[in-house]
PDB file of all heavy atoms in Angstrom:
ATOM      1  N   ILE A 254      97.528 -61.493-220.877  1.00 98.00           N
ATOM      2  CA  ILE A 254      97.948 -62.874-221.150  1.00 98.00           C
ATOM      3  C   ILE A 254      96.774 -63.851-221.024  1.00 98.00           C
ATOM      4  O   ILE A 254      96.759 -64.887-221.693  1.00 98.00           O
ATOM      5  CB  ILE A 254      99.131 -63.296-220.225  1.00 98.00           C
ATOM      6  CG1 ILE A 254      99.778 -64.598-220.701  1.00 98.00           C
ATOM      7  CG2 ILE A 254      98.676 -63.436-218.791  1.00 98.00           C
ATOM      8  CD1 ILE A 254     100.370 -64.536-222.064  1.00 98.00           C
ATOM      9  N   LEU A 255      95.790 -63.536-220.202  1.00 98.00           N
ATOM     10  CA  LEU A 255      94.666 -64.480-220.034  1.00 98.00           C
ATOM     11  C   LEU A 255      93.965 -64.692-221.382  1.00 98.00           C
ATOM     12  O   LEU A 255      93.846 -65.815-221.874  1.00 98.00           O
ATOM     13  CB  LEU A 255      93.652 -63.967-218.995  1.00 98.00           C
ATOM     14  CG  LEU A 255      93.980 -64.247-217.525  1.00 98.00           C
ATOM     15  CD1 LEU A 255      95.003 -63.247-217.006  1.00 98.00           C
ATOM     16  CD2 LEU A 255      92.735 -64.198-216.653  1.00 98.00           C
ATOM     17  N   ARG A 256      93.521 -63.610-221.975  1.00 98.00           N
ATOM     18  CA  ARG A 256      92.780 -63.701-223.226  1.00 98.00           C
ATOM     19  C   ARG A 256      93.673 -64.237-224.353  1.00 98.00           C
ATOM     20  O   ARG A 256      93.253 -65.063-225.159  1.00 98.00           O
ATOM     21  CB  ARG A 256      92.216 -62.317-223.576  1.00 98.00           C
ATOM     22  CG  ARG A 256      91.582 -62.206-224.943  1.00 98.00           C
ATOM     23  CD  ARG A 256      90.270 -62.940-225.042  1.00 98.00           C
ATOM     24  NE  ARG A 256      89.607 -62.740-226.316  1.00 98.00           N
ATOM     25  CZ  ARG A 256      88.601 -63.474-226.743  1.00 98.00           C
ATOM     26  NH1 ARG A 256      88.125 -64.462-226.004  1.00 98.00           N
ATOM     27  NH2 ARG A 256      88.046 -63.231-227.903  1.00 98.00           N
ATOM     28  N   ARG A 257      94.928 -63.744-224.409  1.00 98.00           N
ATOM     29  CA  ARG A 257      95.811 -64.174-225.503  1.00 98.00           C
ATOM     30  C   ARG A 257      96.054 -65.683-225.439  1.00 98.00           C
ATOM     31  O   ARG A 257      96.047 -66.375-226.459  1.00 98.00           O
ATOM     32  CB  ARG A 257      97.132 -63.393-225.444  1.00 98.00           C
ATOM     33  CG  ARG A 257      96.962 -61.935-225.923  1.00 98.00           C
ATOM     34  CD  ARG A 257      98.292 -61.217-226.065  1.00 98.00           C
ATOM     35  NE  ARG A 257      98.829 -60.810-224.775  1.00 98.00           N
ATOM     36  CZ  ARG A 257     100.009 -61.159-224.293  1.00 98.00           C
ATOM     37  NH1 ARG A 257     100.805 -61.944-225.006  1.00 98.00           N
ATOM     38  NH2 ARG A 257     100.423 -60.749-223.121  1.00 98.00           N
ATOM     39  N   SER A 258      96.251 -66.205-224.228  1.00 98.00           N
ATOM     40  CA  SER A 258      96.529 -67.645-224.117  1.00 98.00           C
ATOM     41  C   SER A 258      95.278 -68.470-224.426  1.00 98.00           C
ATOM     42  O   SER A 258      95.373 -69.554-225.014  1.00 98.00           O
ATOM     43  CB  SER A 258      97.074 -67.969-222.725  1.00 98.00           C
ATOM     44  OG  SER A 258      96.123 -67.638-221.748  1.00 98.00           O
ATOM     45  N   LEU A 259      94.103 -67.958-224.068  1.00 98.00           N
ATOM     46  CA  LEU A 259      92.857 -68.671-224.386  1.00 98.00           C
ATOM     47  C   LEU A 259      92.646 -68.745-225.898  1.00 98.00           C
ATOM     48  O   LEU A 259      92.276 -69.790-226.441  1.00 98.00           O
ATOM     49  CB  LEU A 259      91.657 -67.968-223.731  1.00 98.00           C
ATOM     50  CG  LEU A 259      91.511 -68.156-222.221  1.00 98.00           C
ATOM     51  CD1 LEU A 259      90.507 -67.156-221.655  1.00 98.00           C
ATOM     52  CD2 LEU A 259      91.088 -69.585-221.879  1.00 98.00           C
ATOM     53  N   VAL A 260      92.888 -67.630-226.573  1.00 98.00           N
ATOM     54  CA  VAL A 260      92.685 -67.591-228.025  1.00 98.00           C
ATOM     55  C   VAL A 260      93.674 -68.532-228.717  1.00 98.00           C
ATOM     56  O   VAL A 260      93.313 -69.287-229.629  1.00 98.00           O
ATOM     57  CB  VAL A 260      92.818 -66.142-228.552  1.00 98.00           C
ATOM     58  CG1 VAL A 260      92.882 -66.105-230.072  1.00 98.00           C
ATOM     59  CG2 VAL A 260      91.651 -65.294-228.053  1.00 98.00           C
ATOM     60  N   ALA A 261      94.925 -68.548-228.236  1.00 98.00           N
ATOM     61  CA  ALA A 261      95.933 -69.443-228.841  1.00 98.00           C
ATOM     62  C   ALA A 261      95.547 -70.903-228.641  1.00 98.00           C
ATOM     63  O   ALA A 261      95.673 -71.727-229.562  1.00 98.00           O
ATOM     64  CB  ALA A 261      97.308 -69.155-228.239  1.00 98.00           C
ATOM     65  N   ALA A 262      95.037 -71.243-227.466  1.00 98.00           N
ATOM     66  CA  ALA A 262      94.638 -72.631-227.194  1.00 98.00           C
ATOM     67  C   ALA A 262      93.436 -73.019-228.055  1.00 98.00           C
ATOM     68  O   ALA A 262      93.370 -74.142-228.586  1.00 98.00           O
ATOM     69  CB  ALA A 262      94.323 -72.802-225.713  1.00 98.00           C
ATOM     70  N   ALA A 263      92.500 -72.098-228.227  1.00 98.00           N
ATOM     71  CA  ALA A 263      91.329 -72.377-229.069  1.00 98.00           C
ATOM     72  C   ALA A 263      91.762 -72.603-230.511  1.00 98.00           C
ATOM     73  O   ALA A 263      91.228 -73.486-231.207  1.00 98.00           O
ATOM     74  CB  ALA A 263      90.331 -71.223-228.987  1.00 98.00           C
ATOM     75  N   GLN A 264      92.766 -71.843-230.960  1.00 98.00           N
ATOM     76  CA  GLN A 264      93.257 -72.018-232.336  1.00 98.00           C
ATOM     77  C   GLN A 264      93.844 -73.412-232.514  1.00 98.00           C
ATOM     78  O   GLN A 264      93.641 -74.071-233.532  1.00 98.00           O
ATOM     79  CB  GLN A 264      94.304 -70.960-232.662  1.00 98.00           C
ATOM     80  CG  GLN A 264      93.672 -69.640-233.093  1.00 98.00           C
ATOM     81  CD  GLN A 264      94.655 -68.488-233.121  1.00 98.00           C
ATOM     82  OE1 GLN A 264      95.818 -68.642-232.728  1.00 98.00           O
ATOM     83  NE2 GLN A 264      94.193 -67.322-233.560  1.00 98.00           N
ATOM     84  N   ARG A 265      94.545 -73.865-231.487  1.00 98.00           N
ATOM     85  CA  ARG A 265      95.134 -75.205-231.535  1.00 98.00           C
ATOM     86  C   ARG A 265      94.034 -76.265-231.724  1.00 98.00           C
ATOM     87  O   ARG A 265      94.199 -77.214-232.480  1.00 98.00           O
ATOM     88  CB  ARG A 265      95.900 -75.409-230.221  1.00 98.00           C
ATOM     89  CG  ARG A 265      96.706 -76.640-230.122  1.00 98.00           C
ATOM     90  CD  ARG A 265      98.169 -76.368-230.463  1.00 98.00           C
ATOM     91  NE  ARG A 265      98.933 -77.584-230.280  1.00 98.00           N
ATOM     92  CZ  ARG A 265      99.892 -77.727-229.368  1.00 98.00           C
ATOM     93  NH1 ARG A 265     100.228 -76.728-228.586  1.00 98.00           N
ATOM     94  NH2 ARG A 265     100.538 -78.866-229.250  1.00 98.00           N
TER      95      ARG A 265
END
Side-chain angles (χ1 to χ4, degrees):
I254 193 61
L255 277 80
R256 172 71 175 166
R257 286 189 283 123
S258 61
L259 286 166
V260 169
Q264 277 167 355
R265 187 97 177 245

